[in-house]
Amino acid sequence: MDLNKAQIIWNITQDVELKQTPNWQNVTSFSIATNRNWVDQSWNKQEQVEYHNIVLWWKLAEIAWQY
């Protein structure tokens, strides 16, 4: 099995929420925004913002909620 690693620089846009499923599994959800800046062919500065909903489960959910 191959694994890929990505590093994302982001701004958090929603508070982290920790919840538990009926089976006592931890789940954390939050929202982040990433910005992309570039100069177009006419030399005008452009910016694009994308929003991402993140859901983490089990131990990773606990770690994200703590930090």
Side-chain angles (χ1 to χ4, degrees):
M1 177 172 78
D2 294 329
L3 297 176
N4 294 322
K5 180 180 179 179
Q7 184 174 4
I8 300 172
I9 300 172
W10 46 272
N11 298 307
I12 193 159
T13 61
Q14 174 186 348
D15 290 339
V16 177
E17 294 181 44
L18 178 65
K19 297 180 182 177
Q20 287 186 330
T21 66
N23 321 11
W24 299 98
Q25 294 178 347
N26 290 325
V27 60
T28 298
S29 62
F30 57 97
S31 195
I32 63 172
T34 56
N35 298 4
R36 187 180 95 154
N37 298 305
W38 75 95
V39 176
D40 66 14
Q41 292 178 348
S42 302
W43 296 101
N44 296 317
K45 289 184 179 181
Q46 301 290 326
E47 181 178 19
Q48 179 182 6
V49 178
E50 293 186 23
Y51 297 93
H52 313 272
N53 295 320
I54 309 298
V55 179
L56 304 172
W57 291 86
W58 301 293
K59 186 66 177 175
L60 191 54
E62 293 176 39
I63 294 168
W65 183 73
Q66 288 175 343
Y67 296 101

